[in-house]
Amino acid sequence: MAKSAPMTEMQALRQYLEETNQDLAAARAGFDQTADQDLLEYYLYEINALRAKHTYLLRQMRSLERQAVP
């Protein structure tokens, strides 16, 4: 069985960003499909948290890109 090469930090950030995008899409779909007030509040909270995570991951990626440029 061949081992795969370990992910670089940038690859890991890209994977986390993709997972966050998928989670965000799921939260938005849940928000769109519910009428329950408590669930709407939950989805709003989750969407805001995921948007903050998305912004953080983008900042981390930009920081790594700047470090890579001499």
Side-chain angles (χ1 to χ4, degrees), residues 2-70:
K3 283 187 174 181
S4 61
M7 283 195 294
T8 66
E9 190 172 357
M10 184 62 83
Q11 289 170 327
L13 285 171
R14 284 189 183 118
Q15 181 177 341
Y16 296 147
L17 190 61
E18 179 59 34
E19 290 169 2
T20 302
N21 284 334
Q22 291 171 1
D23 292 343
L24 189 52
R28 286 179 174 150
F31 178 85
D32 290 341
Q33 295 174 5
T34 191
D36 182 88
Q37 187 63 35
D38 291 331
L39 283 177
L40 287 172
E41 192 172 322
Y42 163 79
Y43 284 120
L44 284 174
Y45 177 82
E46 184 173 22
I47 289 167
N48 285 331
L50 289 167
R51 288 175 61 197
K53 182 178 179 182
H54 186 270
T55 300
Y56 167 79
L57 291 170
L58 286 176
R59 272 197 322 265
Q60 293 299 108
M61 288 177 70
R62 288 185 190 122
S63 176
L64 274 180
E65 288 171 349
R66 282 193 297 269
Q67 291 174 6
V69 175

